[in-house]
Amino acid sequence: MASELKRLIEQVSREKGIDRQTLIQTLEEAIKSAIRKKFGAKLDLDVTFNEEYGEIEAFQFKEVVEEVSDPDKQVVLAEALKLDGESEIGDELGIKMDTETLGRIAAQSAKQVIIQKMKDAEREVVYDEFKSRKGEIVNGIVQRVDKGAILVNVGQAEAILPQKEQIPREVFRQGDRIRSYVFDVKKISKGPQIVLSRTHPNFLIQLFHSEVPEISEGIVSIISAAREPGSRAKIAVISKDSDVDPVGACVGMKGTRVQNVVQELRGEKIDIIPWNMDPAKFVVNALAPAIISKVIVDQTNRNMEVIVPDDQLSLAIGKRGQNVRLASKLTNWRIDVKSESRYERQKQVGYQSLLQIPSLSSELADRLYESGIGSLEEFLEAAMVELEDTTRLSASTLEIMRTEARILLQKDEEEPAPEASPEEAQSQQEMETDPDHVQEG
C-alpha cells in the first residue's frame, strides 16, 4: 500500500493538475477523521504522510498517569514503560497505531479523497473557464426542460436558462441547438452554476459583434441597447471612421446582417439609431421614425419634453407606449411626448396662469417662462435659489408671490376640470394601457 499510495498521489497530481501538497493534507485529514469515527471522537491524534517511505503514519497521544479515568487520553505508567522505558508521570506519550488497521483505513480514505479531489478539480476548471467567458455567447444543446427552465449542455458543463431569461413564446425541445448569453457564473455546493440569458440587452449586442466585422474590428461601437424581448429593440451606434456609416454597417447589404440577428431573436424588430453627443439630437434619433418639432431639455432632472405634430403623436409614443419607453431606456433620459396642439394649449394656459399672480408683472412672467417655469405648479415647485436667480427678487417678495399662487391653484382645484380633446384622450389611453410607460408631462 505504501509505494502504491505514493504512486497514486503522484499520478493524480500530475494528470489532474491537483496540487500535491493539498492532496496529501486532505488525505491526512480524511484518515484522521476515519480513525476517530472508528475508534472514538475524543482521540488526540497526529496523522502525517511519511515522504521517505511513502506511507501514512498515525500517532495517538496519551498522558501517563497513576490511575486511568479516560482510556482514550490516558495510559498507566506500567503500560507506558513497556512502550518507552523513560516514561514518567505527566509525560505525553505518542503511541503509533497498528499498521494493518491503519492500512485498511488509509486505502479506503485515499480512494474517497482522490475521487472527491478529482471532482473538485474538474468543477474548478469548469468554473474558471466559464467565469472568463461571462459576457460571451455560447452554443449548446437542450438537454431537458425542468419546471420551465431549460437545461443546456455547453460542452464540459450543464448550464441553466431560467424561464425569465427566455424570449416570450419561444419553444425549445430536447436536442435543439441553442445560442445564449453567459449572464452569470456562480459557485454552489454541486459545482459551478452557469446561468444563461436570451433576453439580456448584451445578448443583442454580442449577436451584432458576431455578425458585423466593423464592430469586432473596433471601427463601429454599440453605445447602448434597450430591448423588450421578442417584440422590439433599439441599439445606438457610432463610427470612429467618418467613411464608415455605422447604421449601414449594422444593416448590411440588403439588410442581411440585421436580418440574421432578427432571425436569432425570433422576429424581434430592431431599430438601429445613430448616437449623438448632443442629448436632444440623440433623443430625436431614438424616437425615429416620428418627426419631432421641438425638444425642451431639463438638464437637472434629465427630462426632455418632446413636441411632435398632431399626426405624429401615435407614431412617437408607439403601440402601448413602446417606442418612447425604449427610447427612454436607450438614451437614459425621461421623455415626455406631447402633440403641438396640446403643447400650445398648455403653454397659453400656463403662461396665463402666471399672469394671474397679482404681484407678478408680464416681464417677469416672460422671464420665468423662458427659463422653463411655465405654470403655477412649476412656480411653486421651483427651488427658491432658481427663482431668485431668474427674477432678481428677494426671497421675501417671492414668498408673497408663492402664497398668491397657492390661493389661485386652490381656486382652480375647486372648479371642474375641462374635457380632454380627442388627441389627448387617445394618447392618454395608449399610455395607461402600459404601467411602465413614463407618463406625459
Side-chain angles (χ1 to χ4, degrees), residues 280-281 283-296 305-309 312 315-317 323 335 337-338 340:
K281 288 179 181 176
V283 165
V284 168
N285 293 343
L287 287 170
I291 297 166
I292 310 301
S293 305
K294 186 176 183 180
V295 178
I296 301 160
E305 196 173 25
V306 177
I307 317 304
V308 299
Q312 296 286 304
L315 186 61
I317 292 169
N323 192 50
I335 302 171
V337 180
K338 292 177 181 174
E340 285 178 346

Side-chain angles (χ1 to χ4, degrees), residues 86-244:
E86 296 180 359
S87 295
E88 296 178 0
I89 299 293
D91 283 354
E92 196 79 21
L93 186 66
I95 306 165
K96 190 172 183 179
M97 297 198 72
D98 177 60
T99 309
E100 189 178 335
T101 304
L102 185 62
R104 289 195 301 271
I105 293 172
Q108 190 177 11
S109 298
K111 184 180 177 183
Q112 291 171 348
V113 164
I114 287 165
I115 290 170
Q116 188 58 47
K117 276 292 170 187
M118 283 164 62
K119 285 181 181 176
D120 291 346
E122 286 165 3
R123 287 171 178 172
E124 199 64 32
V125 167
V126 170
Y127 176 77
D128 289 340
E129 181 195 341
F130 281 92
K131 188 181 178 184
S132 66
R133 294 182 71 184
K134 188 176 174 180
E136 294 181 10
I137 289 177
V138 292
N139 296 306
I141 297 172
V142 175
Q143 295 288 89
R144 64 188 187 280
V145 179
D146 184 16
K147 296 176 183 175
I150 298 172
L151 297 169
V152 183
N153 184 323
V154 287
Q156 297 180 51
E158 189 175 75
I160 185 168
L161 178 64
Q163 194 165 17
K164 67 178 181 178
E165 300 297 334
Q166 297 169 31
I167 296 171
R169 298 175 297 282
E170 189 172 48
V171 178
F172 286 99
R173 293 179 177 84
Q174 187 175 0
D176 287 353
R177 293 191 172 274
I178 186 170
R179 293 175 82 189
S180 304
Y181 174 77
V182 181
F183 174 58
D184 198 8
V185 183
K186 303 173 184 175
K187 269 187 179 179
I188 59 174
S189 57
K190 294 179 182 177
Q193 185 184 52
I194 302 152
V195 183
L196 305 176
S197 175
R198 284 177 59 80
T199 62
H200 200 284
N202 286 348
F203 181 47
L204 173 65
I205 291 171
Q206 289 302 320
L207 286 172
F208 272 102
H209 268 270
S210 61
E211 290 292 337
V212 183
E214 290 86 345
I215 293 177
S216 56
E217 291 165 11
I219 299 168
V220 172
S221 299
I222 298 177
I223 302 298
S224 59
R227 291 179 69 192
E228 294 199 350
S231 177
R232 191 172 180 181
K234 289 180 185 282
I235 63 166
V237 294
I238 189 172
S239 174
K240 289 180 181 176
D241 187 339
S242 58
D243 294 331
V244 177

Side-chain angles (χ1 to χ4, degrees), residues 7 36 38 70 91 101 129 156 164 190 206 228 259 327 353 360 379 386 409 430:
R7 279 199 306 273
R36 283 193 173 130
K38 186 174 179 68
D70 185 353
D91 283 354
T101 304
E129 181 195 341
Q156 297 180 51
K164 67 178 181 178
K190 294 179 182 177
Q206 289 302 320
E228 294 199 350
Q259 279 309 311
S353 71
L360 186 71
F379 180 67
E386 185 184 354
L409 265 181
E430 285 176 338

Side-chain angles (χ1 to χ4, degrees), residues 33 73 103 160 165 178 185 247 352 376 403 420:
S33 176
K73 294 186 176 181
I160 185 168
E165 300 297 334
I178 186 170
V185 183
V247 175
Q352 291 300 324
L376 289 175
T403 302

